[in-house]
Amino acid sequence: ETLKEIQQQQRIAYEGEMRRLALREAKAKAECKRLEETELKRREEASVASRRAKELAYKFKNHKWRCVYTLPGHSSFVNSLAISPDGKILASGSWDQTIKIWNLETGELIGTLTGHSDRVNSVAISGDGNMLASGSSDETIKFWNLHSGELLCTFPGHSMEVNSVAISPNGLGIASCGGADNTIKLWNLRTGGLLRTLRGHLDNVNAVVFSPDGKILASGSSDATSKVWDVESGKLLRTLSGLNVGVNSVAIGPDGKILASVSNDYTIKLRNLQTGSLLRILNSNSSRENGVTSLGTNEAVHILQNYVSRGDSVAISGDGLTLASGCDDNTIKIWNLLTGELLSTLRGHLGTVYSVAITPLGNILVSGSADETIKIWRCD
């Protein structure tokens, strides 16, 4: 009887273990099937993306950019440009202390805004197309009615100078940076009050830009880093280092996924905004192993070998397909963001291209230069 009882217990245990093994095997098979389906879906999506990239690359190769207007008028370097959301109005800021408003379709000068007492370093247009913000070396930020040219208000900015201004997509806030305080300031656009000051950079902050949803702010600094901030809390989310020298310009793609930064080490770096991982490098200095070695474990998808000069500005088109970069060899370079291919090199300026801007449709490019002119380029 004792032996029968032991055998019965063993049989129950054996049957239970077999059921557990069968269940485990069924789960493993289901997981394998799920992974296979996921991998198949990923490959199909990659194949579709690859075909689309090749189709767009072929399409872009047949696009020809031509200069349709050269706009004189400024008496010094043109170092900042902004295009209205409807693609009809252009604002330009210059070292001649003025802001000029242009009809982008005809190249006609609409008006000149005066009021700054030092060079204008940055201009930005609000999402509704009604307001213009400007930052100057006179340590102030000014807000203008874009259509009437009326000066609405003036904010005190940073010590020494304001290098960059950006208006949040909802039009309620503004970010500014610059001066010797190495900070970024967030302002309430309605009240003029200072919301918070973002600290973390160790040198001058040269550029700021909002993500399309207004929740993220990216900055570039002479301390050789880009930083990503949470706008609502002011919390520093991540620091993107590995850059050898200062960051001159930053831009975020329209889907909020790609951050482009231009630095003095002859590179443009494209990163995933959410993770900070490196996607591509635009670099010509092969003696430095394409600039990848100082970037830790990040792996570049494409190393672009045609970037032959120091970058001063960068802009991403509204469709997220192309990137334009202004260079100190007096050229503008047009890149396919999907493939990393250099599409065009635009020549015509006689000085460093300090600023570039692209219309929302991506068919018109504007460049501002040390030759004191603005050029409007159209893609046929």
Side-chain angles (χ1 to χ4, degrees), residues 303-331:
I303 306 296
L304 307 183
Q305 299 291 337
N306 299 297
Y307 195 60
V308 295
S309 63
R310 185 173 70 86
D312 289 285
S313 57
V314 66
I316 298 175
S317 63
D319 56 13
L321 298 178
T322 58
L323 177 143
S325 56
C327 315
D328 67 357
D329 65 354
N330 309 343
T331 68

Side-chain angles (χ1 to χ4, degrees), residues 72-111:
H74 283 294
S75 58
S76 189
F77 298 173
V78 181
N79 64 333
S80 183
L81 298 169
I83 296 174
S84 62
D86 61 8
K88 295 181 178 180
I89 294 177
L90 169 70
S92 59
S94 169
W95 284 23
D96 65 8
Q97 305 179 14
T98 71
I99 302 157
K100 292 186 181 294
I101 310 299
W102 311 82
N103 183 315
L104 193 53
E105 296 177 340
T106 65
E108 178 187 1
L109 178 64
I110 298 173

Side-chain angles (χ1 to χ4, degrees), residues 125-199:
I125 295 176
S126 60
D128 61 8
N130 293 324
M131 182 178 292
L132 173 75
S134 58
S136 168
S137 292
D138 65 9
E139 304 180 13
T140 68
I141 302 163
K142 292 184 182 294
F143 296 92
W144 315 76
N145 183 304
L146 182 62
H147 303 290
S148 68
E150 178 189 0
L151 177 61
L152 302 176
C153 60
T154 300
F155 289 179
H158 300 256
S159 57
M160 292 181 64
E161 60 187 359
V162 179
N163 289 331
S164 180
V165 292
I167 301 176
S168 63
N170 62 12
L172 300 179
I174 186 169
S176 63
C177 66
D181 55 11
N182 308 337
T183 66
I184 301 161
K185 295 183 184 294
L186 298 177
W187 309 83
N188 184 311
L189 200 49
R190 289 178 175 175
T191 66
L194 178 64
L195 297 174
R196 60 184 57 87
T197 300
L198 309 182
R199 293 181 171 86

Side-chain angles (χ1 to χ4, degrees), residues 1 19 38 93 97 100 125 137 211 245 263:
E1 291 177 357
R19 284 194 298 270
T38 300
Q97 305 179 14
K100 292 186 181 294
I125 295 176
S137 292
S211 62
V245 286
S263 61

